[in-house]
């Protein structure tokens, strides 16, 4: 009985916070999912001004039970006819997720193969290719998530309080500001590492490949910026290209974004190392 008391008390606290945030976010006409995230933050030990959960292992148990019920309900409502009516969009999205989840494993297996003696350049290229592909995938997914959040949730919210032109401008600024650190890391992270410098000094062919990879990263970042501007502000073709290039270059050469990106990458690597040591 003593083991069940904290489990039930934590469940009661979670339900109270979730219920309160549900009512609040429905009143604000915002997605209830965001309310659940806020409720989790309020009930966590990181919020010292409110009662918090006492048994984290119990919370993990409740989360696993919740996932089981969620997947069961999705299975009850699953229909191939609905997917076929939606077209190729869900299929492409599912393939992208599967490829993203398997990219680390496939590229990691390639990079762990033993390089022949004297094939130092090939080993460096495998390391560079693995890191570049993972950087592009991770930061592209983060940018897509932030853009979707701003355009599909933030823009309707701003439309209730701002006139139409200002709604588009503020939405574009919010999306670009939120994505700026990740766009910087997408374009610049790892460019000054030792293996990149070694490849750059190895010959003209390696330099051409490195420039091609860098141009690809610039094009992807410019595509994100142009997508944001295309869904918010309407400009003529040449003016839109000029604005996109100006934003991209300002992000690339921003010292503040460079420091912020380096701190984020350092924090991410530290958390990853701690997780691996804990496992």
């Amino acid at each position: 009985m003593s083991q069940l008391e904290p489990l039930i008390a934590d469940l009661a606290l979670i339900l109270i916070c979730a219920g309160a945030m549900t009512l609040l976010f429905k009143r604000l006409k915002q997605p209830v999912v965001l309310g659940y995230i806020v409720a989790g933050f309020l009930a966590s030990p990181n919020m010292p001004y409110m009662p918090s959960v006492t048994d984290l292992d119990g919370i993990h148990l409740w989360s696993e039970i919740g996932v089981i019920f969620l997947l069961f309900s999705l299975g009850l409502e699953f229909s191939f006819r609905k997917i076929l009516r939606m077209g190729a969009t869900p299929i492409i999205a599912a393939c992208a997720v599967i490829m993203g989840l398997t990219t680390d494993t496939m590229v990691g297996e390639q990079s762990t193969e033993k390089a022949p003696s004297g094939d130092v350049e090939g080993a460096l290229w495998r390391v560079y290719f693995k890191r570049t592909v993972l950087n592009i995938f991770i930061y592209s997914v983060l940018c897509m998530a932030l853009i979707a959040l701003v355009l599909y949730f933030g823009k309707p919210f701003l439309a209730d309080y701002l006139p139409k032109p200002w709604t588009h401008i503020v939405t574009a600024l919010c999306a670009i500001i939120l994505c700026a650190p990740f766009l910087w890391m997408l374009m610049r992270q790892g460019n000054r590492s030792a293996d990149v410098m070694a490849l750059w000094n190895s010959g003209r062919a390696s330099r051409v490949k490195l420039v091609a990879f860098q141009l690809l990263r610039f094009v992807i970042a410019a595509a994100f910026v142009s997508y944001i501007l295309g869904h918010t502000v309407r400009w003529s073709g040449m003016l839109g290209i000029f604005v996109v290039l100006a934003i991209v270059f300002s992000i690339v050469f921003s010292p503040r974004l460079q420091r912020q990106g380096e701190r984020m990458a350092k924090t991410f690597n530290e958390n990853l190392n701690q997780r691996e040591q804990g496992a």
Side-chain angles (χ1 to χ4, degrees):
M1 186 64 182
S2 60
Q3 296 180 353
L4 289 177
E5 289 179 356
L7 195 65
I8 297 173
D10 291 341
L11 177 62
L13 177 61
I14 293 171
L15 293 177
I16 292 172
C17 293
M21 290 299 106
T22 299
L23 296 176
L24 177 61
F25 275 72
K26 281 187 176 180
R27 186 69 177 267
L28 296 175
K29 298 180 181 180
Q30 295 301 307
V32 182
V33 176
L34 297 178
Y36 293 154
I37 296 175
V38 175
F41 173 71
L42 294 177
S44 69
N46 299 319
M47 188 65 181
Y49 304 105
M50 291 189 63
S52 60
V53 295
T54 58
D55 188 5
L56 294 179
D57 293 333
I59 300 302
H60 294 159
L61 175 62
W62 287 121
S63 65
E64 292 175 358
I65 294 174
V67 170
I68 291 171
F69 280 105
L70 175 62
L71 296 178
F72 183 76
S73 63
L74 290 176
L76 292 177
E77 299 177 0
F78 186 81
S79 174
F80 284 104
R81 294 180 180 178
K82 292 182 180 179
I83 295 179
L84 293 177
R85 284 198 299 266
M86 294 173 67
T89 303
I91 299 175
I92 295 174
C95 293
V97 172
I98 293 172
M99 290 178 61
L101 293 175
T102 56
T103 297
D104 190 13
T105 303
M106 292 187 297
V107 178
E109 290 176 355
Q110 290 181 351
S111 63
T112 54
E113 294 177 355
K114 293 184 178 179
S117 58
D119 191 16
V120 179
E121 184 177 349
L124 290 176
W125 272 114
R126 283 192 288 272
V127 173
Y128 175 78
F129 178 75
K130 174 185 176 181
R131 186 179 65 245
T132 303
V133 170
L134 290 179
N135 285 346
I136 292 174
F137 174 75
I138 292 172
Y139 299 127
S140 297
V141 170
L142 291 173
C143 289
M144 286 188 288
L146 290 172
I147 292 171
L149 182 65
V150 173
L151 293 182
Y152 295 105
F153 297 118
K155 187 176 179 181
F157 177 76
L158 293 173
D160 296 335
Y161 301 96
L162 297 175
K164 190 173 183 180
W166 284 104
T167 300
H168 297 318
I169 294 174
V170 174
T171 302
L173 288 176
C174 290
I176 292 173
I177 290 172
L178 290 175
C179 293
F182 303 108
L183 290 176
W184 184 92
M185 288 188 286
L186 191 154
M187 293 184 287
R188 295 290 302 275
Q189 188 178 20
N191 287 351
R192 298 181 180 180
S193 59
D195 54 345
V196 173
M197 298 305 297
L199 289 172
W200 181 264
N201 296 325
S202 62
R204 181 177 297 178
S206 297
R207 293 180 184 178
V208 172
K209 294 178 184 179
L210 289 173
V211 171
F213 272 106
Q214 188 60 45
L215 288 176
L216 174 63
R217 296 164 73 174
F218 273 98
V219 169
I220 294 173
F224 282 121
V225 176
S226 61
Y227 182 85
I228 294 172
L229 298 179
H231 283 73
T232 53
V233 184
R234 296 291 183 266
W235 281 317
S236 61
M238 292 303 298
L239 180 60
I241 294 173
F242 176 77
V243 172
V244 169
L245 293 177
I247 293 174
V248 169
F249 279 105
S250 63
I251 291 173
V252 169
F253 296 105
S254 172
R256 183 174 181 180
L257 287 176
Q258 179 179 357
R259 292 192 297 269
Q260 187 175 0
E262 291 174 351
R263 285 198 303 268
M264 293 175 65
K266 182 179 179 181
T267 304
F268 176 78
N269 291 328
E270 290 177 352
N271 293 335
L272 185 62
N273 293 332
Q274 291 177 359
R275 187 179 295 272
E276 291 178 351
Q277 291 175 1

